[in-house]
Amino acid sequence: MISEFTWPNHDLPSDKDAVRKLIECHGFQHDVAYGKTKLFIRTPRTLFTLEELHAKMLVRIVLFLQKVWRGTLARLRYRRTRAALTIARHYRRHKVRAYLRQVERRFRDVRLLPDRGRRLAWPAPPKVLQRFEEALQGIYHRWRAAELIRSVSPEMLPQLRAKVAAMELLKGHRADIGLQRAWQGNYIALKPDSPQSSGSFTPVANELKRKDKYMSILFSCHVRKVNRFNKVEDRAIFITDRHLYKMDPMKQYKVMKTIPLYNLVGLSVSNGKDQLVVFHTKDNKDLIVCLFSNDPSNDSRIGELVGVLASHFKRVRKRV
């Protein structure tokens, strides 16, 4: 144990030669005598020295055995962990494939359904695919929206875009934004809304089109204007793709104020039933009006106004 020539096993011809080699390695060959089966040591000092060397080497051997055993345990734990991870990886792959097959079977013929699969329930995904399921549902909803939009006639697309814009801006802020009814836009020209004055409005609108070269009418409606002295007056607003006009319906829709649309910087609406609207301008000369309708009298047009303007400015930004 205390010599590299004899530990752990010697390769000498005999055990006696191994003992002789061990004694010679430590320089005690002059202090010992060899018998046939025994070793005779002359002085106690040699014996004590050999015992001390044995004790020191025993500590090193114990540490070595502990190191080997700890390494063995670590390798066993590594193999078990690796096996567990391999099993878990294959299990996750199985769950992912099973989920994808289930989704594929459930939505295989969704294009043939009238509602494009709106009522189909999504299978529960494994935890590893929760974010993937959110992305997949987003892709599906965009596809379904595109399919629904494709089925809408071109004449209804502007109204649909305006309603979507109004819902994005006013959802949660107003209870009624008029999504369930058809949006007419040019209400002043409609006889049910203004039977006495619709005939006098059309020539004014045509003259403004000739003068200001607008391409389309976005919105028109009778309003009640509130000035800085809290005085309420009947007015009308006429919004085209170029200007916002404030008119006096009592004077054959005479234009009282013209605001270019590029001067509008914002729009504020109330969350009640009063349909109060504030047009914010760059020069801080805001226009405060309250929309109202004659037929029906409780018809809410705030959502239509907000949606039409939002949709228009989105198209303008895309062109720029």
Side-chain angles (χ1 to χ4, degrees):
M1 184 182 297
I2 60 177
S3 175
E4 60 181 0
F5 298 102
T6 59
W7 174 261
N9 297 308
H10 66 83
D11 55 356
L12 298 174
S14 64
D15 293 341
K16 187 174 182 179
D17 293 334
V19 173
R20 190 185 302 276
K21 187 68 175 178
L22 188 149
I23 294 298
E24 290 176 355
C25 287
H26 294 283
F28 298 136
Q29 62 271 17
H30 302 294
D31 198 40
V32 299
Y34 300 96
K36 290 184 178 181
T37 58
K38 293 181 176 59
L39 176 67
F40 299 95
I41 301 175
R42 181 178 301 171
T43 60
R45 181 180 178 183
T46 301
L47 179 61
F48 294 153
T49 303
L50 291 174
E51 290 295 335
E52 289 176 359
L53 293 174
H54 177 268
K56 292 179 181 180
M57 186 58 65
L58 189 62
V59 174
R60 295 177 60 184
I61 291 174
V62 170
L63 293 176
F64 174 76
L65 293 176
Q66 288 179 346
K67 180 180 69 174
V68 172
W69 179 242
R70 284 195 296 267
T72 302
L73 292 179
R75 283 187 289 272
L76 288 175
R77 284 195 295 268
Y78 169 75
R79 293 193 187 100
R80 291 172 183 172
T81 303
R82 186 175 180 180
L85 292 176
T86 302
I87 294 173
R89 183 171 64 252
H90 286 283
Y91 178 73
R92 284 196 298 268
R93 289 179 180 175
H94 165 72
K95 295 292 288 185
V96 168
R97 292 193 184 99
Y99 171 75
L100 294 178
R101 284 195 295 267
Q102 192 174 2
V103 171
E104 192 273 334
R105 285 195 300 268
R106 186 164 299 183
F107 290 88
R108 179 179 299 168
D109 300 325
V110 70
R111 190 185 296 272
L112 304 178
L113 299 177
D115 60 352
R116 299 296 191 273
R118 180 175 179 269
R119 293 182 176 85
L120 291 179
W122 285 77
K127 290 184 178 180
V128 71
L129 288 183
Q130 286 182 351
R131 296 184 63 181
F132 172 76
E133 186 208 24
E134 295 175 0
L136 189 62
Q137 288 189 11
I139 295 172
Y140 163 74
H141 290 315
R142 286 192 292 271
W143 170 83
R144 182 173 175 273
E147 289 292 316
L148 294 177
I149 292 174
R150 194 176 292 114
S151 63
V152 177
S153 62
E155 295 79 11
M156 295 295 295
L157 277 179
Q159 185 177 151
L160 180 62
R161 293 192 182 98
K163 287 186 176 183
V164 171
M167 186 177 64
E168 290 177 350
L169 295 173
L170 298 179
K171 185 178 181 181
H173 299 283
R174 289 186 63 88
D176 181 20
I177 56 178
L179 295 178
Q180 304 301 324
R181 63 175 181 84
W183 288 1
Q184 303 295 333
N186 191 5
Y187 289 98
I188 299 179
L190 298 178
K191 290 184 178 180
D193 198 67
S194 53
Q196 293 83 11
S197 56
S198 60
S200 60
F201 169 75
T202 303
V204 176
N206 293 334
E207 177 62 22
L208 290 175
K209 184 175 184 179
R210 184 192 64 80
K211 177 183 176 183
D212 294 334
K213 309 297 183 183
Y214 68 80
M215 300 299 296
S216 61
I217 299 174
L218 302 182
F219 186 80
S220 69
C221 179
H222 288 98
V223 299
R224 288 188 173 92
K225 177 182 175 297
V226 182
N227 60 19
R228 58 182 178 177
F229 303 107
N230 293 327
K231 184 179 179 181
V232 179
E233 299 173 332
D234 287 339
R235 293 289 184 265
I237 58 172
F238 179 50
I239 305 175
T240 68
D241 56 352
R242 297 176 64 88
H243 296 88
L244 164 63
Y245 303 96
K246 183 183 71 172
M247 299 177 171
D248 188 353
M250 306 305 296
K251 297 181 180 180
Q252 302 296 317
Y253 290 95
K254 177 183 177 181
V255 177
M256 303 182 65
K257 186 176 183 179
T258 302
I259 303 174
L261 286 190
Y262 58 78
N263 278 346
L264 291 179
V265 296
L267 188 70
S268 298
V269 300
S270 64
N271 57 1
K273 297 182 179 180
D274 49 15
Q275 301 195 70
L276 183 67
V277 183
V278 181
F279 295 92
H280 302 285
T281 60
K282 293 181 180 179
D283 55 4
N284 294 324
K285 295 180 180 180
D286 298 344
L287 176 62
I288 305 174
V289 296
C290 184
L291 309 183
F292 75 94
S293 61
N294 294 323
D295 186 21
S297 59
N298 59 348
D299 197 4
S300 176
R301 295 174 181 174
I302 287 287
E304 182 174 358
L305 174 61
V306 173
V308 166
L309 287 177
S311 178
H312 169 72
F313 283 112
K314 282 183 180 179
R315 291 196 303 271
V316 171
R317 283 197 298 269
K318 286 182 179 179
R319 287 198 296 266
V320 174

